[in-house]
Amino acid sequence: MLKKLILIALFSCSAHALDSNIIEIMQYLQRDSDLIQRGFFLNKFDIVQEGIEKHKVDFNTLQKFNIDMFLDEKHINYSPIISSFLRNIKENRIALEKFLKDNDKIRAYEAFQQLDYNCMKCHALVRGW
């Protein structure tokens, strides 16, 4: 019985730690997006690039999580849709980098808007908007 209680306690702690970790990662991704946005508004593409580099690192960390662990029974069927949003975000970031490299700033900003839009679609789905 004691072993069972310890196992439950460990699982609860690790589930809480995972939950807080994903929240922290999401906060980092928000910071990264804010940096990119600010760089565009200020016409400072070094800030855009800094945001992109941070986004790569934080997004790679996010992708290490099994998103299904964070979905309740009501949302578990959304897993393939969420995976699609995640793929789109990565593709949008790659397009953003390509357009910046080509000095096509309008299309770079459009790619960033699509990246941001995919983030919000995922949040809307999970939050039931």
Short mmCIF file of all heavy atoms in Angstrom, two decimals, residues 3-54:
data_model
loop_
_atom_site.label_atom_id
_atom_site.label_comp_id
_atom_site.label_asym_id
_atom_site.label_seq_id
_atom_site.Cartn_x
_atom_site.Cartn_y
_atom_site.Cartn_z
N LYS A 3 3.92 1.55 -1.13
CA LYS A 3 4.55 1.66 -2.45
C LYS A 3 3.60 2.30 -3.45
O LYS A 3 3.99 3.13 -4.27
CB LYS A 3 5.00 0.29 -2.95
CG LYS A 3 6.21 -0.26 -2.28
CD LYS A 3 6.59 -1.58 -2.89
CE LYS A 3 7.77 -2.19 -2.13
NZ LYS A 3 8.18 -3.47 -2.68
N LYS A 4 2.34 1.91 -3.36
CA LYS A 4 1.33 2.44 -4.27
C LYS A 4 1.15 3.95 -4.03
O LYS A 4 1.08 4.73 -4.98
CB LYS A 4 0.01 1.70 -4.03
CG LYS A 4 -0.96 1.80 -5.16
CD LYS A 4 -2.20 0.99 -4.83
CE LYS A 4 -2.65 0.23 -6.04
NZ LYS A 4 -3.85 -0.55 -5.79
N LEU A 5 1.11 4.36 -2.79
CA LEU A 5 0.96 5.78 -2.46
C LEU A 5 2.17 6.58 -2.93
O LEU A 5 2.03 7.69 -3.45
CB LEU A 5 0.75 5.96 -0.95
CG LEU A 5 -0.61 5.56 -0.41
CD1 LEU A 5 -0.62 5.65 1.11
CD2 LEU A 5 -1.71 6.41 -1.00
N ILE A 6 3.35 6.02 -2.76
CA ILE A 6 4.57 6.70 -3.21
C ILE A 6 4.56 6.84 -4.73
O ILE A 6 4.88 7.90 -5.26
CB ILE A 6 5.84 5.96 -2.72
CG1 ILE A 6 5.96 6.09 -1.19
CG2 ILE A 6 7.08 6.48 -3.41
CD1 ILE A 6 7.04 5.24 -0.58
N LEU A 7 4.15 5.78 -5.41
CA LEU A 7 4.08 5.82 -6.87
C LEU A 7 3.08 6.88 -7.34
O LEU A 7 3.36 7.65 -8.27
CB LEU A 7 3.69 4.44 -7.41
CG LEU A 7 3.72 4.25 -8.91
CD1 LEU A 7 5.12 4.53 -9.45
CD2 LEU A 7 3.28 2.85 -9.28
N ILE A 8 1.93 6.94 -6.70
CA ILE A 8 0.92 7.95 -7.05
C ILE A 8 1.47 9.35 -6.79
O ILE A 8 1.31 10.25 -7.61
CB ILE A 8 -0.39 7.71 -6.27
CG1 ILE A 8 -1.07 6.44 -6.79
CG2 ILE A 8 -1.33 8.90 -6.39
CD1 ILE A 8 -2.25 5.98 -5.96
N ALA A 9 2.13 9.54 -5.67
CA ALA A 9 2.71 10.85 -5.34
C ALA A 9 3.76 11.25 -6.36
O ALA A 9 3.81 12.40 -6.81
CB ALA A 9 3.30 10.83 -3.94
N LEU A 10 4.62 10.32 -6.74
CA LEU A 10 5.65 10.61 -7.74
C LEU A 10 5.03 10.97 -9.08
O LEU A 10 5.47 11.90 -9.75
CB LEU A 10 6.62 9.43 -7.90
CG LEU A 10 7.60 9.23 -6.77
CD1 LEU A 10 8.39 7.93 -6.96
CD2 LEU A 10 8.55 10.41 -6.65
N PHE A 11 4.00 10.22 -9.47
CA PHE A 11 3.34 10.51 -10.74
C PHE A 11 2.69 11.88 -10.70
O PHE A 11 2.80 12.65 -11.64
CB PHE A 11 2.29 9.43 -11.07
CG PHE A 11 1.56 9.73 -12.34
CD1 PHE A 11 2.18 9.54 -13.57
CD2 PHE A 11 0.27 10.22 -12.32
CE1 PHE A 11 1.53 9.82 -14.75
CE2 PHE A 11 -0.39 10.52 -13.49
CZ PHE A 11 0.23 10.31 -14.71
N SER A 12 2.04 12.20 -9.59
CA SER A 12 1.40 13.51 -9.45
C SER A 12 2.43 14.63 -9.53
O SER A 12 2.20 15.64 -10.20
CB SER A 12 0.65 13.61 -8.13
OG SER A 12 -0.37 12.66 -8.07
N CYS A 13 3.54 14.46 -8.86
CA CYS A 13 4.60 15.48 -8.89
C CYS A 13 5.18 15.63 -10.28
O CYS A 13 5.40 16.73 -10.75
CB CYS A 13 5.70 15.14 -7.89
SG CYS A 13 5.19 15.32 -6.18
N SER A 14 5.43 14.50 -10.94
CA SER A 14 6.01 14.59 -12.28
C SER A 14 5.01 15.17 -13.27
O SER A 14 5.38 15.92 -14.15
CB SER A 14 6.54 13.24 -12.75
OG SER A 14 5.48 12.33 -12.91
N ALA A 15 3.73 14.84 -13.12
CA ALA A 15 2.71 15.42 -14.00
C ALA A 15 2.62 16.93 -13.79
O ALA A 15 2.52 17.70 -14.75
CB ALA A 15 1.35 14.77 -13.75
N HIS A 16 2.68 17.36 -12.53
CA HIS A 16 2.67 18.79 -12.24
C HIS A 16 3.91 19.48 -12.80
O HIS A 16 3.85 20.56 -13.36
CB HIS A 16 2.54 19.04 -10.75
CG HIS A 16 2.58 20.49 -10.38
ND1 HIS A 16 1.55 21.34 -10.70
CD2 HIS A 16 3.54 21.24 -9.78
CE1 HIS A 16 1.88 22.56 -10.29
NE2 HIS A 16 3.07 22.52 -9.73
N ALA A 17 5.06 18.82 -12.65
CA ALA A 17 6.31 19.38 -13.17
C ALA A 17 6.24 19.50 -14.68
O ALA A 17 6.66 20.52 -15.24
CB ALA A 17 7.49 18.52 -12.76
N LEU A 18 5.70 18.49 -15.35
CA LEU A 18 5.55 18.56 -16.80
C LEU A 18 4.63 19.70 -17.20
O LEU A 18 4.91 20.45 -18.13
CB LEU A 18 5.00 17.24 -17.36
CG LEU A 18 5.97 16.09 -17.45
CD1 LEU A 18 5.25 14.83 -17.90
CD2 LEU A 18 7.11 16.41 -18.39
N ASP A 19 3.52 19.83 -16.47
CA ASP A 19 2.56 20.89 -16.76
C ASP A 19 3.20 22.26 -16.59
O ASP A 19 3.05 23.13 -17.44
CB ASP A 19 1.34 20.74 -15.84
CG ASP A 19 0.19 21.61 -16.28
OD1 ASP A 19 -0.02 21.73 -17.50
OD2 ASP A 19 -0.51 22.15 -15.40
N SER A 20 3.96 22.45 -15.50
CA SER A 20 4.59 23.75 -15.29
C SER A 20 5.70 23.97 -16.31
O SER A 20 5.93 25.10 -16.74
CB SER A 20 5.12 23.87 -13.86
OG SER A 20 6.13 22.93 -13.62
N ASN A 21 6.38 22.91 -16.74
CA ASN A 21 7.41 23.06 -17.76
C ASN A 21 6.82 23.51 -19.08
O ASN A 21 7.39 24.35 -19.76
CB ASN A 21 8.17 21.74 -17.97
CG ASN A 21 9.18 21.48 -16.87
OD1 ASN A 21 9.53 22.37 -16.12
ND2 ASN A 21 9.62 20.25 -16.78
N ILE A 22 5.69 22.94 -19.47
CA ILE A 22 5.10 23.32 -20.75
C ILE A 22 4.59 24.76 -20.68
O ILE A 22 4.68 25.50 -21.66
CB ILE A 22 4.02 22.33 -21.23
CG1 ILE A 22 3.84 22.49 -22.75
CG2 ILE A 22 2.72 22.50 -20.49
CD1 ILE A 22 3.17 21.33 -23.42
N ILE A 23 4.09 25.17 -19.54
CA ILE A 23 3.65 26.56 -19.37
C ILE A 23 4.85 27.49 -19.52
O ILE A 23 4.78 28.51 -20.21
CB ILE A 23 2.94 26.75 -18.01
CG1 ILE A 23 1.59 26.05 -18.03
CG2 ILE A 23 2.78 28.24 -17.68
CD1 ILE A 23 0.92 25.95 -16.69
N GLU A 24 5.96 27.12 -18.91
CA GLU A 24 7.18 27.93 -19.01
C GLU A 24 7.65 28.01 -20.47
O GLU A 24 8.02 29.08 -20.95
CB GLU A 24 8.26 27.31 -18.14
CG GLU A 24 9.52 28.13 -18.05
CD GLU A 24 10.52 27.51 -17.08
OE1 GLU A 24 10.10 26.94 -16.05
OE2 GLU A 24 11.72 27.59 -17.38
N ILE A 25 7.63 26.90 -21.17
CA ILE A 25 8.04 26.89 -22.57
C ILE A 25 7.11 27.77 -23.40
O ILE A 25 7.57 28.53 -24.26
CB ILE A 25 8.09 25.45 -23.11
CG1 ILE A 25 9.23 24.69 -22.44
CG2 ILE A 25 8.25 25.44 -24.64
CD1 ILE A 25 9.17 23.20 -22.63
N MET A 26 5.82 27.69 -23.14
CA MET A 26 4.87 28.54 -23.87
C MET A 26 5.15 30.02 -23.59
O MET A 26 5.06 30.86 -24.49
CB MET A 26 3.43 28.21 -23.49
CG MET A 26 2.95 26.89 -24.01
SD MET A 26 2.85 26.92 -25.81
CE MET A 26 2.26 25.28 -26.11
N GLN A 27 5.51 30.34 -22.37
CA GLN A 27 5.86 31.73 -22.04
C GLN A 27 7.10 32.16 -22.79
O GLN A 27 7.18 33.29 -23.28
CB GLN A 27 6.04 31.88 -20.54
CG GLN A 27 4.75 31.77 -19.77
CD GLN A 27 4.94 31.69 -18.27
OE1 GLN A 27 6.03 31.41 -17.77
NE2 GLN A 27 3.87 31.93 -17.54
N TYR A 28 8.08 31.27 -22.92
CA TYR A 28 9.28 31.58 -23.70
C TYR A 28 8.93 31.80 -25.17
O TYR A 28 9.43 32.73 -25.81
CB TYR A 28 10.32 30.47 -23.60
CG TYR A 28 10.99 30.34 -22.25
CD1 TYR A 28 11.51 29.12 -21.86
CD2 TYR A 28 11.13 31.42 -21.39
CE1 TYR A 28 12.14 28.98 -20.63
CE2 TYR A 28 11.76 31.29 -20.17
CZ TYR A 28 12.26 30.07 -19.79
OH TYR A 28 12.89 29.93 -18.58
N LEU A 29 8.05 30.96 -25.70
CA LEU A 29 7.65 31.11 -27.11
C LEU A 29 6.93 32.43 -27.32
O LEU A 29 7.11 33.09 -28.36
CB LEU A 29 6.79 29.92 -27.55
CG LEU A 29 7.56 28.62 -27.76
CD1 LEU A 29 6.61 27.43 -27.85
CD2 LEU A 29 8.44 28.70 -28.99
N GLN A 30 6.13 32.84 -26.35
CA GLN A 30 5.46 34.14 -26.45
C GLN A 30 6.48 35.26 -26.46
O GLN A 30 6.40 36.19 -27.26
CB GLN A 30 4.48 34.33 -25.28
CG GLN A 30 3.81 35.68 -25.25
CD GLN A 30 2.97 35.95 -26.48
OE1 GLN A 30 2.16 35.12 -26.83
NE2 GLN A 30 3.16 37.09 -27.12
N ARG A 31 7.48 35.15 -25.60
CA ARG A 31 8.56 36.14 -25.57
C ARG A 31 9.28 36.19 -26.91
O ARG A 31 9.58 37.26 -27.44
CB ARG A 31 9.53 35.78 -24.45
CG ARG A 31 10.76 36.69 -24.37
CD ARG A 31 11.98 36.01 -23.78
NE ARG A 31 12.35 34.87 -24.61
CZ ARG A 31 13.05 33.83 -24.18
NH1 ARG A 31 13.47 33.77 -22.95
NH2 ARG A 31 13.37 32.84 -24.99
N ASP A 32 9.53 35.02 -27.49
CA ASP A 32 10.21 34.95 -28.78
C ASP A 32 9.38 35.62 -29.88
O ASP A 32 9.92 36.39 -30.69
CB ASP A 32 10.47 33.49 -29.17
CG ASP A 32 11.23 32.71 -28.11
OD1 ASP A 32 11.91 33.33 -27.26
OD2 ASP A 32 11.15 31.46 -28.13
N SER A 33 8.10 35.35 -29.89
CA SER A 33 7.20 35.98 -30.88
C SER A 33 7.14 37.49 -30.68
O SER A 33 7.13 38.25 -31.65
CB SER A 33 5.79 35.39 -30.78
OG SER A 33 5.78 34.08 -31.26
N ASP A 34 7.13 37.91 -29.43
CA ASP A 34 7.13 39.36 -29.14
C ASP A 34 8.40 40.02 -29.67
O ASP A 34 8.35 41.13 -30.20
CB ASP A 34 7.00 39.62 -27.63
CG ASP A 34 5.62 39.29 -27.08
OD1 ASP A 34 4.67 39.10 -27.87
OD2 ASP A 34 5.49 39.20 -25.84
N LEU A 35 9.52 39.32 -29.52
CA LEU A 35 10.79 39.85 -30.03
C LEU A 35 10.73 40.00 -31.56
O LEU A 35 11.13 41.04 -32.10
CB LEU A 35 11.93 38.88 -29.69
CG LEU A 35 12.88 39.30 -28.60
CD1 LEU A 35 13.67 38.11 -28.09
CD2 LEU A 35 13.80 40.38 -29.06
N ILE A 36 10.23 38.98 -32.23
CA ILE A 36 10.12 39.03 -33.70
C ILE A 36 9.23 40.19 -34.11
O ILE A 36 9.58 40.99 -34.98
CB ILE A 36 9.60 37.69 -34.25
CG1 ILE A 36 10.60 36.57 -33.97
CG2 ILE A 36 9.30 37.80 -35.75
CD1 ILE A 36 10.06 35.16 -34.21
N GLN A 37 8.07 40.28 -33.46
CA GLN A 37 7.11 41.35 -33.76
C GLN A 37 7.75 42.73 -33.55
O GLN A 37 7.64 43.62 -34.39
CB GLN A 37 5.88 41.21 -32.87
CG GLN A 37 4.81 42.25 -33.09
CD GLN A 37 4.02 41.98 -34.36
OE1 GLN A 37 3.69 40.85 -34.64
NE2 GLN A 37 3.73 43.01 -35.11
N ARG A 38 8.42 42.89 -32.43
CA ARG A 38 9.06 44.18 -32.11
C ARG A 38 10.13 44.52 -33.15
O ARG A 38 10.25 45.66 -33.60
CB ARG A 38 9.67 44.15 -30.71
CG ARG A 38 10.21 45.50 -30.28
CD ARG A 38 10.46 45.60 -28.80
NE ARG A 38 11.07 44.42 -28.23
CZ ARG A 38 12.28 44.37 -27.70
NH1 ARG A 38 13.04 45.45 -27.67
NH2 ARG A 38 12.76 43.27 -27.19
N GLY A 39 10.89 43.51 -33.56
CA GLY A 39 11.91 43.73 -34.57
C GLY A 39 11.32 44.23 -35.88
O GLY A 39 11.86 45.15 -36.51
N PHE A 40 10.20 43.64 -36.28
CA PHE A 40 9.54 44.11 -37.51
C PHE A 40 9.06 45.55 -37.34
O PHE A 40 9.27 46.39 -38.22
CB PHE A 40 8.36 43.21 -37.88
CG PHE A 40 8.75 42.00 -38.69
CD1 PHE A 40 8.65 40.73 -38.15
CD2 PHE A 40 9.20 42.14 -40.00
CE1 PHE A 40 9.00 39.61 -38.90
CE2 PHE A 40 9.55 41.02 -40.75
CZ PHE A 40 9.45 39.76 -40.20
N PHE A 41 8.42 45.84 -36.23
CA PHE A 41 7.88 47.19 -36.02
C PHE A 41 8.97 48.25 -35.96
O PHE A 41 8.78 49.36 -36.42
CB PHE A 41 7.02 47.25 -34.75
CG PHE A 41 5.62 46.76 -34.96
CD1 PHE A 41 5.06 45.88 -34.07
CD2 PHE A 41 4.87 47.17 -36.05
CE1 PHE A 41 3.76 45.41 -34.24
CE2 PHE A 41 3.57 46.71 -36.24
CZ PHE A 41 3.01 45.83 -35.34
N LEU A 42 10.11 47.88 -35.39
CA LEU A 42 11.21 48.85 -35.25
C LEU A 42 12.15 48.85 -36.45
O LEU A 42 13.10 49.63 -36.47
CB LEU A 42 12.00 48.54 -33.97
CG LEU A 42 11.24 48.69 -32.66
CD1 LEU A 42 12.11 48.23 -31.50
CD2 LEU A 42 10.77 50.12 -32.46
N ASN A 43 11.87 47.96 -37.42
CA ASN A 43 12.73 47.83 -38.58
C ASN A 43 14.15 47.46 -38.18
O ASN A 43 15.13 47.94 -38.72
CB ASN A 43 12.72 49.11 -39.43
CG ASN A 43 13.21 48.87 -40.83
OD1 ASN A 43 12.92 47.85 -41.44
ND2 ASN A 43 13.97 49.82 -41.36
N LYS A 44 14.23 46.58 -37.17
CA LYS A 44 15.52 46.10 -36.65
C LYS A 44 15.55 44.59 -36.82
O LYS A 44 15.06 43.84 -35.97
CB LYS A 44 15.71 46.51 -35.19
CG LYS A 44 15.79 48.01 -35.02
CD LYS A 44 16.25 48.36 -33.64
CE LYS A 44 16.33 49.87 -33.55
NZ LYS A 44 17.62 50.34 -33.17
N PHE A 45 16.13 44.18 -37.91
CA PHE A 45 16.07 42.77 -38.26
C PHE A 45 17.04 41.91 -37.47
O PHE A 45 16.92 40.69 -37.46
CB PHE A 45 16.18 42.61 -39.78
CG PHE A 45 14.97 43.21 -40.44
CD1 PHE A 45 14.98 44.50 -40.91
CD2 PHE A 45 13.79 42.49 -40.50
CE1 PHE A 45 13.85 45.07 -41.46
CE2 PHE A 45 12.65 43.04 -41.04
CZ PHE A 45 12.67 44.34 -41.53
N ASP A 46 17.95 42.55 -36.74
CA ASP A 46 18.77 41.78 -35.81
C ASP A 46 17.90 41.30 -34.65
O ASP A 46 18.10 40.19 -34.13
CB ASP A 46 19.97 42.60 -35.31
CG ASP A 46 19.56 43.91 -34.64
OD1 ASP A 46 18.59 44.56 -35.11
OD2 ASP A 46 20.22 44.30 -33.67
N ILE A 47 16.91 42.10 -34.26
CA ILE A 47 15.98 41.68 -33.20
C ILE A 47 15.08 40.56 -33.71
O ILE A 47 14.81 39.60 -32.99
CB ILE A 47 15.15 42.88 -32.70
CG1 ILE A 47 16.06 43.91 -32.02
CG2 ILE A 47 14.06 42.42 -31.74
CD1 ILE A 47 15.35 45.19 -31.60
N VAL A 48 14.64 40.68 -34.97
CA VAL A 48 13.84 39.61 -35.58
C VAL A 48 14.64 38.31 -35.55
O VAL A 48 14.13 37.27 -35.13
CB VAL A 48 13.43 39.96 -37.03
CG1 VAL A 48 12.75 38.77 -37.71
CG2 VAL A 48 12.51 41.18 -37.07
N GLN A 49 15.89 38.39 -35.97
CA GLN A 49 16.74 37.19 -36.01
C GLN A 49 16.96 36.62 -34.62
O GLN A 49 16.95 35.40 -34.43
CB GLN A 49 18.08 37.53 -36.68
CG GLN A 49 18.87 36.31 -37.08
CD GLN A 49 18.12 35.40 -38.04
OE1 GLN A 49 17.52 35.84 -39.01
NE2 GLN A 49 18.11 34.11 -37.75
N GLU A 50 17.15 37.47 -33.64
CA GLU A 50 17.30 37.00 -32.25
C GLU A 50 16.05 36.24 -31.82
O GLU A 50 16.14 35.17 -31.20
CB GLU A 50 17.55 38.19 -31.32
CG GLU A 50 17.68 37.82 -29.87
CD GLU A 50 17.80 39.03 -28.95
OE1 GLU A 50 17.94 40.17 -29.44
OE2 GLU A 50 17.75 38.81 -27.73
N GLY A 51 14.88 36.79 -32.14
CA GLY A 51 13.62 36.12 -31.80
C GLY A 51 13.48 34.78 -32.49
O GLY A 51 13.03 33.80 -31.90
N ILE A 52 13.89 34.73 -33.75
CA ILE A 52 13.83 33.47 -34.51
C ILE A 52 14.74 32.43 -33.88
O ILE A 52 14.34 31.26 -33.70
CB ILE A 52 14.22 33.70 -35.99
CG1 ILE A 52 13.14 34.52 -36.70
CG2 ILE A 52 14.44 32.37 -36.70
CD1 ILE A 52 13.55 35.02 -38.08
N GLU A 53 15.95 32.81 -33.54
CA GLU A 53 16.90 31.86 -32.94
C GLU A 53 16.38 31.33 -31.61
O GLU A 53 16.48 30.13 -31.33
CB GLU A 53 18.28 32.50 -32.78
CG GLU A 53 18.97 32.82 -34.08
CD GLU A 53 19.09 31.63 -35.04
OE1 GLU A 53 19.41 30.51 -34.58
OE2 GLU A 53 18.82 31.81 -36.25
N LYS A 54 15.82 32.21 -30.80
CA LYS A 54 15.26 31.76 -29.51
C LYS A 54 14.05 30.87 -29.75
O LYS A 54 13.84 29.89 -29.03
CB LYS A 54 14.91 32.97 -28.65
CG LYS A 54 16.13 33.67 -28.12
CD LYS A 54 15.77 34.85 -27.23
CE LYS A 54 17.05 35.47 -26.70
NZ LYS A 54 16.81 36.43 -25.65
#
